[in-house]
Amino acid sequence: MTNTIFESMSAAPPDHPQLASPATATDAGLTPDVTGFYDATTGSMQYVVADPLTRRCAVIDPVLDFDPRSGSTRTTSADRLLKHIEAHGLTLKWILDTHPHADHFSAAGYLKDMTGASTGIGERVVEVQRLWKAIYNLPDSIPVDGSQWGRLFADGERFTVGEMEASVLLSPGHTLCSVTYIMGNAAFVHDTLFMLDSGTARADFPGGDARQLWRTIQRILQLPSDTRLFSGHDYRPNGRRASGESTIAAQRAHNLHLKNCDESRFVKLRTERDRTLPMPALMLSALQVNLAGGRLPAPENDGRRYLKIPLNAFPQASWG
């Protein structure tokens, strides 16, 4: 089993995220090979998850690098994933987003073009697309039906990575459409539970809800206590080494935002904390790309692509 974190070299940023019956782990005895890749520029974790029997794999939440100062993109982070997959004799079958990210561009489109692997996201992404289409005032020609992905997953839906069965757990709170992917004894929770000393994700984006986040977290915590949890961010409090892995048992006992907490206390804590957080620097740029499945806007008549920024759409947001 691999369980390695590879870090990028840039400096990490400061900290700035009624459901159905509880999920159970899928093929809980199976231990997938998990390799994490840490992008220090955005504090993001990307994962390659492999079936140890067939060597088929999935990529979860890949990053397309973007420099807002120059407006340039590059594929360095995504290419590291491809090199790892090739070096370890893996075959990429799935490119999975847990939700449309507000703090980095998704590389799902690029990886799809490079490998032909299937793409997937939670089915409620169409609600988020409709919400942000109005904010961006996008033309009717831009689809809001989720067709930018190959598969839209419903809560409880199952699929396979090689011979390894995976399941999908609807996980709203951070966004309307967030999902958790459960593969063997591993669950990929992205912006719900962070590392123990970082607590939980913010819930103040359009469509977010702190109460829903609490209920999502309670549902996740009903997984077996030894389930390995893989978070999608690590903001490295006190500059410690990047890490994305914890367990259900550790989260129950030691998560900074969950200790001695009930629903009302959590909602108060999360809401008050969110009021102090600045909007993610890339949010208005990233969402129009990520809601298109990681595709950059189409070239205009001069051959260039342009991002559209809605001015004063969030005047109440903290300036940091």
Side-chain angles (χ1 to χ4, degrees), residues 38 43-45 195 198 232-237 240-244:
Y38 179 66
S44 300
M45 297 294 308
M195 298 306 293
S198 295
H233 284 290
D234 186 11
Y235 298 118
R236 307 195 307 166
R240 62 158 171 72
R241 183 176 177 80
S243 176

Side-chain angles (χ1 to χ4, degrees), residues 12 18 24 29 49 63 66 78 94 112 119 125 144 154 159 171 194 229 236 256 258 276 280 291 300:
Q18 211 126 57
T24 56
V49 190
V63 171
F66 174 65
W94 285 101
K112 168 72 174 176
T119 58
V125 72
V144 289
F159 62 104
S171 305
F194 289 150
L229 294 187
R236 307 195 307 166
L256 180 67
L258 303 181
T276 72
L291 286 168
E300 298 191 8

Side-chain angles (χ1 to χ4, degrees), residues 145-270:
D145 57 3
S147 57
Q148 297 88 345
W149 291 269
R151 181 90 165 261
L152 300 181
F153 293 108
D155 185 31
E157 190 166 350
R158 293 173 182 259
F159 62 104
T160 58
V161 180
E163 295 183 5
M164 179 173 62
E165 189 173 70
S167 64
V168 178
L169 176 66
L170 177 64
S171 305
H174 177 65
T175 74
L176 280 169
C177 67
S178 298
V179 295
T180 294
Y181 296 106
I182 304 171
M183 302 180 188
N185 66 359
F188 298 85
V189 297
H190 210 273
D191 285 1
T192 52
L193 290 161
F194 289 150
M195 298 306 293
L196 308 178
D197 55 359
S198 295
T200 59
R202 65 193 298 170
D204 60 330
F205 298 152
D209 184 273
R211 195 170 303 277
Q212 285 284 0
L213 181 61
W214 169 264
R215 294 174 181 177
T216 283
I217 289 169
Q218 298 313 302
R219 194 180 184 204
I220 290 171
L221 292 179
Q222 292 180 54
L223 291 167
S225 61
D226 60 348
T227 301
R228 298 184 297 156
L229 294 187
F230 293 92
S231 299
H233 284 290
D234 186 11
Y235 298 118
R236 307 195 307 166
N238 301 314
R240 62 158 171 72
R241 183 176 177 80
S243 176
E245 182 178 358
S246 61
T247 65
I248 291 288
Q251 290 283 351
R252 287 173 183 159
H254 303 297
N255 183 285
L256 180 67
H257 292 170
L258 303 181
K259 290 188 296 184
N260 304 315
C261 213
D262 58 19
E263 182 172 309
S264 62
R265 289 174 183 165
F266 176 82
V267 170
K268 182 175 184 292
L269 178 154
R270 187 69 265 169

Side-chain angles (χ1 to χ4, degrees), residues 2-320:
T2 60
N3 183 24
T4 305
I5 303 289
F6 293 97
E7 296 192 37
S8 62
M9 299 305 294
S10 51
D15 189 3
H16 6 88
Q18 211 126 57
L19 296 173
S21 57
T24 56
T26 302
D27 294 338
L30 179 63
T31 299
D33 293 341
V34 180
T35 306
F37 295 80
Y38 179 66
D39 175 50
T41 300
T42 62
S44 300
M45 297 294 308
Q46 311 161 84
Y47 295 102
V48 176
V49 190
D51 173 10
L53 300 177
T54 66
R55 310 307 292 161
R56 303 293 192 268
C57 72
V59 164
I60 298 179
D61 291 319
V63 171
L64 180 70
D65 306 297
F66 174 65
D67 177 12
R69 294 166 298 185
S70 65
S72 61
T73 62
R74 64 181 186 276
T75 61
T76 305
S77 293
D79 288 336
R80 291 176 71 211
L81 306 181
L82 293 175
K83 289 176 183 176
H84 172 85
I85 288 168
E86 180 179 10
H88 289 80
L90 305 176
T91 302
L92 183 61
K93 304 301 291 184
W94 285 101
I95 305 156
L96 303 172
D97 282 312
T98 54
H99 66 290
H101 307 278
D103 47 15
H104 67 81
F105 288 18
S106 170
Y110 171 72
L111 292 177
K112 168 72 174 176
D113 291 344
M114 294 297 292
T115 68
S118 299
T119 58
I121 198 170
E123 66 177 358
R124 293 187 67 187
V125 72
V126 297
E127 299 175 50
V128 184
Q129 285 181 316
R130 292 172 192 143
L131 175 64
W132 281 88
K133 182 175 182 178
I135 293 172
Y136 287 118
N137 192 32
L138 295 176
D140 290 340
S141 59
I142 302 295
V144 289
D145 57 3
S147 57
Q148 297 88 345
W149 291 269
R151 181 90 165 261
L152 300 181
F153 293 108
D155 185 31
E157 190 166 350
R158 293 173 182 259
F159 62 104
T160 58
V161 180
E163 295 183 5
M164 179 173 62
E165 189 173 70
S167 64
V168 178
L169 176 66
L170 177 64
S171 305
H174 177 65
T175 74
L176 280 169
C177 67
S178 298
V179 295
T180 294
Y181 296 106
I182 304 171
M183 302 180 188
N185 66 359
F188 298 85
V189 297
H190 210 273
D191 285 1
T192 52
L193 290 161
F194 289 150
M195 298 306 293
L196 308 178
D197 55 359
S198 295
T200 59
R202 65 193 298 170
D204 60 330
F205 298 152
D209 184 273
R211 195 170 303 277
Q212 285 284 0
L213 181 61
W214 169 264
R215 294 174 181 177
T216 283
I217 289 169
Q218 298 313 302
R219 194 180 184 204
I220 290 171
L221 292 179
Q222 292 180 54
L223 291 167
S225 61
D226 60 348
T227 301
R228 298 184 297 156
L229 294 187
F230 293 92
S231 299
H233 284 290
D234 186 11
Y235 298 118
R236 307 195 307 166
N238 301 314
R240 62 158 171 72
R241 183 176 177 80
S243 176
E245 182 178 358
S246 61
T247 65
I248 291 288
Q251 290 283 351
R252 287 173 183 159
H254 303 297
N255 183 285
L256 180 67
H257 292 170
L258 303 181
K259 290 188 296 184
N260 304 315
C261 213
D262 58 19
E263 182 172 309
S264 62
R265 289 174 183 165
F266 176 82
V267 170
K268 182 175 184 292
L269 178 154
R270 187 69 265 169
T271 302
E272 290 179 352
R273 177 168 173 73
D274 288 349
R275 289 195 190 106
T276 72
L277 301 178
M279 183 179 290
L282 298 185
M283 176 169 153
L284 295 179
S285 299
L287 279 172
Q288 60 194 287
V289 172
N290 296 340
L291 286 168
R295 299 289 182 182
L296 299 174
E300 298 191 8
N301 57 11
D302 62 355
R304 287 199 177 99
R305 304 174 190 268
Y306 293 86
L307 295 171
K308 187 175 184 179
I309 304 298
L311 298 179
N312 299 315
F314 300 94
Q316 75 283 4
S318 169
W319 285 47

